[in-house]
Amino acid sequence: MYGQRIQKWDRAVEWPLTIAAILFLVAYATQIVARPDGVVALVCEIVLITTWALFAVDYVTRLWITENRWRWFSRHLLDLAIVILPMLRPLRLMRFLTVIALISRNTGNMLRGKVVLYTVGATALTVLIAGLAVLDAEQDGGAITTFGDAIWWAFVTITTVGYGDLSPVTAAGRAVALGLMIGGIALIGVVTATLASWIVERVSDQSASTAAATEAQVETLRGEIAELKDLVRELRPAS
Amino acid sequence: MYGQRIQKWDRAVEWPLTIAAILFLVAYATQIVARPDGVVALVCEIVLITTWALFAVDYVTRLWITENRWRWFSRHLLDLAIVILPMLRPLRLMRFLTVIALISRNTGNMLRGKVVLYTVGATALTVLIAGLAVLDAEQDGGAITTFGDAIWWAFVTITTVGYGDLSPVTAAGRAVALGLMIGGIALIGVVTATLASWIVERVSDQSASTAAATEAQVETLRGEIAELKDLVRELRPAS
Amino acid sequence: MYGQRIQKWDRAVEWPLTIAAILFLVAYATQIVARPDGVVALVCEIVLITTWALFAVDYVTRLWITENRWRWFSRHLLDLAIVILPMLRPLRLMRFLTVIALISRNTGNMLRGKVVLYTVGATALTVLIAGLAVLDAEQDGGAITTFGDAIWWAFVTITTVGYGDLSPVTAAGRAVALGLMIGGIALIGVVTATLASWIVERVSDQSASTAAATEAQVETLRGEIAELKDLVRELRPAS
Amino acid sequence: MYGQRIQKWDRAVEWPLTIAAILFLVAYATQIVARPDGVVALVCEIVLITTWALFAVDYVTRLWITENRWRWFSRHLLDLAIVILPMLRPLRLMRFLTVIALISRNTGNMLRGKVVLYTVGATALTVLIAGLAVLDAEQDGGAITTFGDAIWWAFVTITTVGYGDLSPVTAAGRAVALGLMIGGIALIGVVTATLASWIVERVSDQSASTAAATEAQVETLRGEIAELKDLVRELRPAS
């Protein structure tokens, strides 16, 4: 029953929350990149507060309708932090990962295909979020002052190239960089691991004569032995 | 029938297109590195236009003779972009990958050998293309101004070392850099995965006594059981 | 008997040594970061000497109660170096790895889970130790002069990003950097390998119909053959 | 017969060539690092020429006593280049890899153990060779002017950290850097692959109940079936 209620809620908020995330992205990016005055600034502020309220309502509702509240709470501390701490605000865009998951659900059930789609989507999203966040942190008195530079820096960092032509000097900017670097290590890991799994599989496919015995083959053997048993049983004197 | 027509076309344009790619490379490199005037500049321009026309004709013909034009079109959008967009012009040199494929076809059917050949060939080609493209983008008012520096920068980037002694400052140069960095992640991935597949294979070869049962062995077992069946059949009273 | 004595000693010093390591960390960090004068400096010095004495006593006792002293000595040369050489002093904090091991022992027996816990713990510990050590080496006349910069530099180095905004210039600082870089290569290796093992397992799970024959299945086959043998034995004329 | 002659030659020159390589290393390092005058310079020059002569004699003799000279020649082009080209002179130190191979031969037959030993040995050797070679190339008018800086730069490069505090500006120095970067990619690859093979093996060890059927088990099955055959044969009427 609880599971059903959560699934129902999931389906109900799927689109509203995705739209809220898009609106949040637009307002957040506008505020940081264009640094607007007057009406535009006010609209951005209103959008940010409204979408925040939506995410907060979503969090509270989920906590409410779940079976074991304490367990859910302790396993969703990051969700709480994202809702409460203003500095983790950009992470609300991680909502788009759910959209990537939805798309990947419709691309058949090849694990590696899903991994590739997720990797590309998550990397692009991470670069965008980190670019906006580092620009927010650094543009006043820091080292990264334009949106182009911020995105360029994010790519240079996540690929672990690290030219050093731009590097954050504020504490907030460096915190963003840490996240990106860890993302970069993970990116190299996922790319390599996916390729390794593909090559290992292909190489073992090639050498069919030395391939491992499969379950299907053992099944065939069992059939043979069963037939043999029947033959032996027929031999018994009809006593 | 369609498949045959495409194969015929492939064989017919194999050499003309490779020669066109070589001419294109020479003209493109001359134009960027030597920055010629007068007759040489004119010859370069003519060669570039002629080879472009050849690639365009190849694209149109392929689209024409394929069975399902829409499907082919949607799956070859990059080919279209390379033919149409001048900034993707250097990617025409990717034609040489077909030549590497031809060479690797003749080197037996070891998957890992092919992977190594492809990796070396594609890396060298990528460094050359990126070096030329970044020089084209950066030499007027950018940070990379000689061909030597451009190739050096391309190597430093694709290996993810990223000294930062040279780093692009123009948008076009940074776009080239993005491609190289992604190539670098892929390069590390391919090298590691190939080595991993080799080590995993060797380690499992070593421990023969704990090696997985092979299909051949199960085949032997089946033979044994078949012989046993015959023995039992012989036992039946000739009724 | 010797093994029992060592186990007893292990249990006896588990907590005292961990507390000593915490005190050592506090005193060492205070001395380097705050550079205190007067009483605080004296207290730090006393704590450092006391904890050093504890580690030395632990080393000597272990050497004493072990069965084969020469073998133990030759296999614990690093332990000796950490106790004797002042410049390897920060490595005494590696004691905390034992604490991570204790925690991971209680997290079930998933190998990959333990690898993840160890990787995160060891990376955080390495960054902390290296940050303190490089600050110690570089803050007088070197390039890294604040604790924040030292930790930032340690992260930039261990992820192999290497911006170069900060890089050690003293011999001691560069020695610390070498350790961090080797740690970085190991970090990438462990992350990738864990992911690869996970993906390889998942991919092979997916293709259940072509899964390798398991020991359990062969066991079933053996059972079938045993039953068959009994059937044949029953056929023998009761001679 | 040819094989025997080569083995004999191998054994005969094993020690002389290793000593020649040590002398070459000392003279080469002295010449580059200390830049001596007078007698010392003369001694260095004599040692360099003498050891070169030894390597050349070794090359010619091998070419002479091999069965298929042309095949040997085409497969040992690098050996020829190292003997002939002065700029590849430092690669004569690769002779020490043979020494590592000798040591690893005595450490049992664990493939992974050998890989680790080889990796550590080859990395240390590569850093030393590259450090000397880059110092030779850069110390007059280049960016790397002391031996300490050269070794530091080599480590920063081979781990792909690439701070950029030092980076070669001469063509020869950059050529050395290329070799180091490729070595760095290989280093990451080997470390990751070895760890991956270890983790994959451990994870599959853990799940013993789902372990792949081994050759030994199938052998047992075959034994069971053979016994069964004997039982059936006994049943035959002694006709």
Side-chain angles (χ1 to χ4, degrees):
Chain A
M1 203 193 80
Y2 287 103
Q4 275 187 337
R5 263 155 65 180
I6 288 178
Q7 273 182 25
K8 245 172 129 178
W9 179 256
D10 265 348
R11 246 173 290 140
V13 299
E14 199 170 85
W15 283 106
L17 277 188
T18 303
I19 291 166
I22 293 172
L23 288 176
F24 172 77
L25 173 59
V26 171
Y28 182 65
T30 306
Q31 214 180 38
I32 293 172
V33 179
R35 319 192 89 187
D37 287 318
V39 181
V40 180
L42 192 72
V43 170
C44 283
E45 205 55 52
I46 290 167
V47 170
L48 288 178
I49 289 168
T50 318
T51 54
W52 171 79
L54 275 170
F55 282 107
V57 165
D58 179 56
Y59 178 83
V60 171
T61 315
R62 273 168 204 281
L63 183 58
W64 190 257
I65 65 179
T66 197
E67 197 167 2
N68 188 334
R69 270 169 219 168
W70 182 249
R71 197 167 144 233
W72 193 92
F73 176 78
S74 63
R75 291 195 175 182
H76 292 77
L77 285 175
L78 184 63
D79 291 24
L80 179 65
I82 291 174
V83 167
I84 288 182
L85 300 175
M87 73 183 99
L88 291 183
R89 218 166 40 165
L91 292 183
R92 277 172 217 158
L93 295 173
M94 286 197 335
R95 168 80 210 167
F96 289 120
L97 279 182
T98 322
V99 181
I100 301 175
L102 278 175
I103 295 169
S104 85
R105 207 184 296 155
N106 300 326
T107 58
N109 49 9
M110 287 299 294
L111 179 73
R112 266 199 299 267
K114 287 190 183 185
V115 167
V116 169
L117 192 68
Y118 240 87
T119 307
V120 171
T123 305
L125 198 57
T126 307
V127 165
L128 182 65
I129 295 176
L132 286 172
V134 88
L135 187 61
D136 194 14
E138 295 273 321
Q139 66 185 349
D140 295 314
I144 297 161
T145 51
T146 71
F147 183 62
D149 275 4
I151 294 293
W152 164 248
W153 168 84
F155 267 114
V156 168
T157 301
I158 206 170
T159 54
T160 80
V161 169
Y163 287 125
D165 52 346
L166 300 167
S167 58
V169 293
T170 63
R174 286 180 173 182
V176 173
L178 283 200
L180 265 185
M181 288 171 202
I182 292 163
I185 298 279
L187 178 63
I188 292 177
V190 169
V191 168
T192 303
T194 311
L195 281 165
S197 127
W198 182 84
I199 289 181
V200 166
E201 199 174 86
R202 282 294 164 104
V203 167
S204 73
D205 275 10
Q206 265 196 332
S207 51
S209 64
T210 62
T214 62
E215 293 189 6
Q217 288 180 304
V218 172
E219 221 37 63
T220 316
L221 271 186
R222 193 183 297 172
E224 300 269 307
I225 292 173
E227 279 180 41
L228 184 57
K229 266 186 185 166
D230 290 346
L231 279 174
V232 171
R233 275 199 196 94
E234 281 173 26
L235 284 176
R236 274 198 245 183
S239 59
Chain B
M1 202 193 80
Y2 287 102
Q4 275 187 336
R5 262 155 64 181
I6 288 176
Q7 273 182 23
K8 244 172 129 177
W9 178 256
D10 265 348
R11 245 172 292 141
V13 299
E14 199 170 85
W15 283 107
L17 277 188
T18 302
I19 291 166
I22 295 173
L23 288 175
F24 172 77
L25 173 58
V26 171
Y28 182 65
T30 307
Q31 212 180 40
I32 294 173
V33 178
R35 317 193 90 187
D37 287 320
V39 180
V40 180
L42 192 72
V43 169
C44 284
E45 204 54 52
I46 290 168
V47 170
L48 288 178
I49 289 168
T50 316
T51 53
W52 171 79
L54 275 171
F55 282 107
V57 165
D58 179 55
Y59 178 83
V60 171
T61 314
R62 273 170 204 280
L63 182 58
W64 190 257
I65 65 179
T66 196
E67 197 169 2
N68 190 332
R69 270 169 218 169
W70 182 249
R71 197 166 143 234
W72 193 91
F73 177 77
S74 64
R75 291 194 175 183
H76 292 76
L77 285 175
L78 184 63
D79 291 25
L80 180 63
I82 292 174
V83 168
I84 289 183
L85 300 176
M87 72 183 101
L88 292 183
R89 218 167 39 167
L91 293 183
R92 277 171 216 159
L93 295 173
M94 285 198 335
R95 167 81 210 170
F96 289 120
L97 280 181
T98 321
V99 181
I100 301 175
L102 278 176
I103 295 168
S104 85
R105 206 184 297 156
N106 299 327
T107 58
N109 48 10
M110 289 298 294
L111 179 74
R112 266 199 299 267
K114 286 189 183 185
V115 167
V116 169
L117 191 69
Y118 240 86
T119 307
V120 171
T123 305
L125 198 58
T126 307
V127 165
L128 182 65
I129 294 176
L132 287 172
V134 88
L135 188 61
D136 194 15
E138 294 272 321
Q139 66 185 350
D140 295 315
I144 298 161
T145 51
T146 71
F147 183 61
D149 275 4
I151 294 294
W152 164 247
W153 168 84
F155 267 114
V156 169
T157 302
I158 207 171
T159 54
T160 81
V161 169
Y163 287 125
D165 52 345
L166 299 168
S167 58
V169 292
T170 62
R174 286 179 174 183
V176 173
L178 283 199
L180 265 185
M181 288 171 201
I182 292 164
I185 299 279
L187 178 65
I188 292 177
V190 169
V191 169
T192 304
T194 310
L195 281 165
S197 125
W198 182 83
I199 289 181
V200 166
E201 200 173 85
R202 281 294 163 104
V203 167
S204 73
D205 275 11
Q206 265 195 333
S207 51
S209 65
T210 63
T214 61
E215 292 189 6
Q217 288 180 303
V218 172
E219 220 38 62
T220 317
L221 270 186
R222 191 182 298 172
E224 300 269 307
I225 292 174
E227 279 180 41
L228 182 57
K229 267 188 185 164
D230 290 345
L231 280 173
V232 172
R233 275 199 196 95
E234 282 173 26
L235 284 176
R236 275 198 244 183
S239 60
Chain C
M1 202 194 81
Y2 286 103
Q4 276 188 335
R5 264 156 63 180
I6 287 177
Q7 273 183 24
K8 245 173 129 177
W9 178 255
D10 264 348
R11 245 173 293 141
V13 299
E14 198 170 88
W15 282 107
L17 278 188
T18 303
I19 291 166
I22 294 171
L23 288 175
F24 171 78
L25 173 58
V26 172
Y28 182 65
T30 308
Q31 214 180 39
I32 293 173
V33 178
R35 318 193 90 185
D37 287 319
V39 180
V40 180
L42 193 72
V43 169
C44 284
E45 204 55 52
I46 290 167
V47 170
L48 288 178
I49 289 167
T50 317
T51 55
W52 171 80
L54 275 170
F55 281 107
V57 165
D58 180 56
Y59 178 84
V60 170
T61 314
R62 273 169 204 281
L63 182 58
W64 190 256
I65 66 179
T66 197
E67 196 169 2
N68 188 334
R69 271 172 217 164
W70 182 248
R71 197 167 142 233
W72 192 91
F73 178 78
S74 64
R75 290 193 175 185
H76 292 74
L77 284 175
L78 183 64
D79 291 25
L80 179 65
I82 291 174
V83 168
I84 289 183
L85 300 175
M87 71 183 104
L88 292 183
R89 220 165 40 164
L91 294 183
R92 277 171 217 158
L93 295 173
M94 287 197 336
R95 168 81 210 166
F96 289 119
L97 280 181
T98 321
V99 182
I100 301 176
L102 279 175
I103 296 169
S104 84
R105 207 183 296 156
N106 300 325
T107 57
N109 49 11
M110 288 298 295
L111 179 74
R112 266 198 300 264
K114 287 190 183 185
V115 167
V116 170
L117 192 68
Y118 240 88
T119 307
V120 172
T123 305
L125 198 57
T126 307
V127 165
L128 182 66
I129 294 176
L132 287 171
V134 87
L135 188 61
D136 194 16
E138 295 272 320
Q139 65 185 349
D140 295 314
I144 297 162
T145 51
T146 71
F147 184 61
D149 275 3
I151 295 293
W152 164 246
W153 168 84
F155 267 114
V156 168
T157 301
I158 206 170
T159 55
T160 80
V161 169
Y163 287 125
D165 52 345
L166 299 167
S167 59
V169 293
T170 63
R174 286 180 173 182
V176 173
L178 283 200
L180 265 184
M181 288 172 202
I182 291 163
I185 299 279
L187 178 64
I188 292 178
V190 169
V191 169
T192 304
T194 311
L195 281 165
S197 125
W198 182 83
I199 289 182
V200 165
E201 200 173 84
R202 282 293 164 104
V203 167
S204 72
D205 275 12
Q206 267 196 333
S207 51
S209 66
T210 62
T214 63
E215 292 189 8
Q217 287 181 305
V218 172
E219 221 38 62
T220 317
L221 269 187
R222 193 183 296 171
E224 299 269 307
I225 291 172
E227 278 180 41
L228 184 57
K229 266 186 187 164
D230 290 346
L231 279 173
V232 172
R233 274 197 197 95
E234 282 174 26
L235 284 176
R236 275 197 245 186
S239 58
Chain D
M1 202 192 81
Y2 287 102
Q4 276 187 335
R5 262 154 66 181
I6 288 176
Q7 272 183 25
K8 245 172 130 177
W9 178 256
D10 264 348
R11 245 173 292 141
V13 298
E14 199 170 85
W15 282 106
L17 278 188
T18 303
I19 291 166
I22 294 172
L23 288 176
F24 172 77
L25 173 59
V26 171
Y28 182 65
T30 307
Q31 214 180 39
I32 293 172
V33 179
R35 317 192 90 186
D37 287 319
V39 180
V40 180
L42 192 72
V43 170
C44 283
E45 204 55 53
I46 289 167
V47 170
L48 288 178
I49 289 167
T50 316
T51 54
W52 171 80
L54 276 171
F55 282 107
V57 166
D58 180 55
Y59 179 82
V60 170
T61 315
R62 273 170 204 281
L63 182 58
W64 190 256
I65 65 180
T66 197
E67 196 170 2
N68 189 333
R69 269 168 219 169
W70 182 249
R71 196 166 144 233
W72 193 91
F73 177 78
S74 64
R75 292 194 175 183
H76 292 75
L77 284 175
L78 184 63
D79 290 25
L80 180 64
I82 291 173
V83 168
I84 289 183
L85 300 175
M87 72 182 104
L88 292 183
R89 218 165 41 164
L91 294 182
R92 275 171 217 158
L93 296 173
M94 286 196 336
R95 168 82 209 167
F96 289 119
L97 280 181
T98 321
V99 182
I100 301 175
L102 279 175
I103 296 169
S104 86
R105 207 184 296 156
N106 300 327
T107 58
N109 49 10
M110 289 298 295
L111 179 73
R112 266 199 300 265
K114 286 190 183 184
V115 167
V116 170
L117 191 69
Y118 240 87
T119 307
V120 171
T123 305
L125 198 58
T126 306
V127 165
L128 182 65
I129 294 177
L132 287 172
V134 87
L135 188 61
D136 194 15
E138 295 272 319
Q139 65 185 349
D140 295 314
I144 297 161
T145 51
T146 72
F147 183 61
D149 275 4
I151 294 294
W152 164 247
W153 167 84
F155 267 115
V156 169
T157 301
I158 206 170
T159 55
T160 81
V161 169
Y163 287 125
D165 53 345
L166 299 167
S167 58
V169 293
T170 63
R174 287 181 172 181
V176 174
L178 283 200
L180 265 184
M181 289 172 201
I182 292 164
I185 299 279
L187 178 64
I188 292 177
V190 169
V191 169
T192 304
T194 310
L195 281 164
S197 125
W198 182 83
I199 289 182
V200 165
E201 200 173 84
R202 282 294 165 103
V203 167
S204 72
D205 275 11
Q206 266 196 333
S207 52
S209 66
T210 63
T214 62
E215 292 189 7
Q217 287 181 305
V218 172
E219 221 37 62
T220 318
L221 270 187
R222 191 182 298 172
E224 299 269 307
I225 291 173
E227 279 180 42
L228 183 57
K229 266 188 187 162
D230 291 345
L231 280 173
V232 171
R233 275 200 195 94
E234 283 173 26
L235 284 176
R236 275 197 243 185
S239 60

